[in-house]
Amino acid sequence: MAVDFVTPRHLRLVLAVLAFSAVAGARAQDAPPPSQAPSAAAPSGQKSGTPAVRGLIKDSPPSAADARRLPPDSITKQTIALPGRTLAFTATAGSIHLFNERGDPQADIAYTAYQLDGAEANSRPVTFFLNGGPGAASAYLQLGAAGPWRLPVNPDAAILSAAPDLQPNAETWLDFTDLVFIDPVGTGYSRFVSTDDDVRKRFYSIDGDVNALSVVVRRWLEKSDRLLSPKFIVGESYGGIRVPKMVRELQTEQGVGIKGLILISPALDFRDFSGSSPLKYAASLPSMAAVARVAKGPVTRADMADVETYARGDFLSDLVKGEADAAATTRLADQVAALTGIDQAVSRRLAGRFDVSEFRREFDRRDGKVTGRYDASVLGFDPNPDSSVSHFGDPSGDPLVAPLTSAVVDLTMRKLNWRPDGSYRLLNGSVERAWDFGRGLSPAESISDLRQVLALDPKLKLLIGHGLFDLATPYFGSKMLLDQLPAYASPERVKLIVYPGGHMFYFRDAARQAFRAEAEALMK
């Protein structure tokens, strides 16, 4: 999910994740050097020393770094009853500690893991889940899609004050894979331990984030004795940038092979979503037209074939002619108006070029409503309908924050018995605001990484799921990019599926059930 996040000042975590080399620079480590490594008796999350030194400082106040550490892992036995089966599993709520090359603590990365009891670990898949933002925690995926418990949500009418009551998830992926949900630093309970601003800057960067999280994945595998297990990674939203780069880092730097990559509503190339690129209009047009059609009745991607053909054909042809060609501009504006249902005069005024925010306000302006960004089929009241400036949130995303946050905190503390101090951050806007996206000649993109990982491992598979009504990361943008991949990215290896729904399409029962089946097929 695309979100906002808090940026603590401990980006040294990423420095720690980037091992220092003469060529690569500072990289984060998953453990302190041997001379500083905790003794076997030292509780998780505590610094150690020799027994004599520890005795001398036993009654001393904890260091500033120790005061910020997450508590030791909590391991509990759980059972859920589901239609046709009962699952018994071990749940671990805890953290991976990251250090720099000198052994200085950088950050504690929180995770929640579920491992089915009685399974053969070496042959059983394990799947890591990461959200996007940057600044989004993994609770969306855990409580909306794949975890053992699910928060029932009506995506068409989610309510902020809804009771955050979890129920067993009949569509959990735990039947066919163990699950590890990871929260990057600044999200969930994950936090910086270092107060060095350089650490914060490193972790809140594309490469630093990728390196840190790759170390977390490798360290969890080592810690849990799962290096021989088949390994998969799921990434949502900005996870479309993050996770393909992680797979490459794991393959080439961490010594960990990944069998499959699953992307949910991914952003794959920011160049097509910003600036003056005309492709952004082609990418979003099918989703905008789908919103207009679903207002009249159910719609699937198959129903959008005519719009996709137009978007990659006559629409692009007229678009690149520019507004200097009056006839092409009028023709384009009138066709866009016909497809989206927006007033023809408005479409002509905007030359048929609707930014997402403009579409969201103009689609049902006559009724004083705006569409969602994450799911444009969801409408909400415009709080300032007469204003010449847009002042509205997202009726499809904002109502999820409170119930999801309350539900995951209650699950963690009461059922999983892990009680970190501090606030849980589902969406941390300060993370995104502080993020270094590498602006310049090379905007963030992961298509080049997908090319590399698919070429490097001819057996690696990629599954991408999108929501038809998603305006945050429109499905047709991914379609256009995937069509540019070489022939070795065959349909047997690379699959795109589009479901009626939004950015978090898995909150809809039919889409969640269907996507689970696709994920299970990928892992067989």
Side-chain angles (χ1 to χ4, degrees):
M1 177 174 188
V3 286
D4 308 318
F5 294 129
V6 174
T7 56
R9 305 192 317 251
H10 313 68
L11 273 158
R12 205 148 198 170
L13 166 46
V14 166
L15 286 174
V17 180
L18 302 163
F20 230 32
S21 73
V23 178
R27 295 175 68 83
Q29 310 295 321
D30 53 295
S35 61
Q36 301 180 35
S39 69
S44 174
Q46 296 183 6
K47 294 183 73 173
S48 69
T50 65
V53 172
R54 292 172 63 198
L56 288 173
I57 65 173
K58 182 176 180 180
D59 297 324
S60 301
S63 68
D66 284 342
R68 287 184 290 273
R69 303 307 293 261
L70 288 170
D73 297 358
S74 173
I75 301 174
T76 58
K77 292 293 185 179
Q78 306 286 341
T79 302
I80 54 172
L82 301 171
R85 80 271 196 205
T86 297
L87 300 181
F89 55 96
T90 300
T92 303
S95 63
I96 299 290
H97 309 317
L98 296 177
F99 303 82
N100 67 8
E101 76 288 346
R102 296 186 301 274
D104 302 324
Q106 306 290 279
D108 285 356
I109 306 300
Y111 71 87
T112 304
Y114 302 104
Q115 300 182 74
L116 193 68
D117 292 344
E120 173 53 52
N122 288 347
S123 60
R124 179 168 168 80
V126 58
T127 303
F128 298 89
F129 294 79
L130 292 139
N131 211 306
S138 60
Y140 290 92
L141 294 167
Q142 181 180 174
L143 303 186
W149 296 279
R150 183 173 67 84
L151 182 66
V153 170
N154 179 354
D156 296 320
I159 300 174
L160 274 164
S161 58
D165 295 329
L166 294 177
Q167 66 180 28
N169 181 14
E171 288 79 47
T172 181
W173 295 14
L174 190 56
D175 292 271
F176 53 87
T177 178
D178 290 335
L179 315 169
V180 185
F181 298 92
I182 300 172
D183 293 332
V185 67
T187 75
Y189 287 115
S190 296
R191 61 189 62 176
F192 289 105
V193 177
S194 169
T195 58
D196 191 327
D197 282 343
D198 287 339
V199 174
R200 174 175 167 275
K201 291 176 183 176
R202 182 61 181 166
F203 274 82
Y204 289 166
S205 70
I206 293 174
D207 291 341
D209 170 75
V210 165
N211 175 245
L213 294 173
S214 298
V215 169
V216 169
V217 168
R218 177 178 61 78
R219 187 68 188 96
W220 187 91
L221 290 167
E222 294 171 345
K223 177 180 179 179
S224 306
D225 195 20
R226 297 297 299 273
L227 281 169
L228 299 184
S229 300
K231 293 164 282 288
F232 299 83
I233 301 186
V234 177
E236 179 178 356
S237 197
Y238 177 76
I241 299 291
R242 165 184 280 153
V243 169
K245 294 178 181 297
M246 285 179 60
V247 172
R248 192 176 182 195
E249 164 92 7
L250 286 162
Q251 287 177 330
T252 60
E253 300 294 331
Q254 302 296 332
V256 175
I258 302 298
K259 288 199 67 175
L261 175 58
I262 299 175
L263 300 179
I264 296 174
S265 306
L268 298 173
D269 193 336
F270 281 176
R271 291 173 295 189
D272 294 338
F273 290 93
S274 61
S276 58
S277 171
L279 288 178
K280 64 183 179 182
Y281 301 116
S284 60
L285 181 59
S287 288
M288 292 178 178
V291 173
R293 292 183 180 183
V294 79
K296 302 175 182 177
V299 61
T300 66
R301 186 195 172 187
D303 299 322
M304 306 309 299
D306 61 317
V307 185
E308 292 183 14
T309 299
Y310 170 65
R312 63 165 40 128
D314 292 344
F315 176 83
L316 273 181
S317 177
D318 284 342
L319 188 68
V320 297
K321 292 175 183 176
E323 295 186 54
D325 188 324
T329 300
T330 299
R331 184 167 58 244
L332 180 151
D334 289 353
Q335 183 63 13
V336 168
L339 290 172
T340 63
I342 291 178
D343 184 84
Q344 185 184 71
V346 173
S347 187
R348 286 190 175 187
R349 174 168 56 83
L350 296 173
R353 294 156 170 82
F354 282 89
D355 284 332
V356 168
S357 60
E358 291 169 334
F359 173 84
R360 292 180 59 203
R361 197 173 200 208
E362 295 296 339
F363 179 73
D364 197 20
R365 189 162 189 168
R366 73 188 71 182
D367 295 323
K369 291 186 176 182
V370 295
T371 80
R373 177 171 173 260
Y374 290 130
D375 188 337
S377 70
V378 176
L379 300 178
F381 289 110
D382 186 340
N384 296 279
D386 300 322
S387 173
S388 60
V389 181
S390 300
H391 297 286
F392 53 84
D394 186 346
S396 65
D398 294 353
L400 300 175
V401 175
L404 273 172
T405 300
S406 295
V408 74
V409 169
D410 182 69
L411 170 66
T412 302
M413 293 190 171
R414 184 171 57 85
K415 190 177 291 290
L416 304 184
N417 197 31
W418 197 52
R419 298 177 177 274
D421 58 6
S423 299
Y424 178 92
R425 302 304 301 265
L426 180 71
L427 295 178
N428 189 343
S430 63
V431 173
E432 184 175 6
R433 291 189 291 272
W435 201 262
D436 181 359
F437 285 95
R439 296 179 179 86
L441 296 178
S442 300
E445 58 86 18
S446 63
I447 286 293
S448 59
D449 299 281
L450 286 176
R451 284 175 175 260
Q452 293 284 349
V453 300
L454 289 166
L456 189 63
D457 185 348
K459 292 189 176 182
L460 185 145
K461 292 185 178 181
L462 169 63
L463 171 65
I464 297 181
H466 267 286
L468 193 58
F469 315 123
D470 180 8
L471 294 182
T473 55
Y475 80 90
F476 198 60
S478 290
K479 170 62 176 171
M480 292 191 296
L481 291 169
L482 294 175
D483 283 346
Q484 308 307 311
L485 293 176
Y488 61 75
S490 62
E492 293 76 26
R493 298 185 64 199
V494 177
K495 188 173 186 178
L496 170 67
I497 306 175
V498 182
Y499 301 97
H503 199 67
M504 292 80 73
F505 59 80
Y506 45 77
F507 279 116
R508 300 187 182 225
D509 293 345
R512 183 176 63 258
Q513 294 160 5
F515 195 63
R516 177 192 186 276
E518 293 288 349
E520 183 176 14
L522 178 77
M523 296 184 193
K524 287 183 176 179

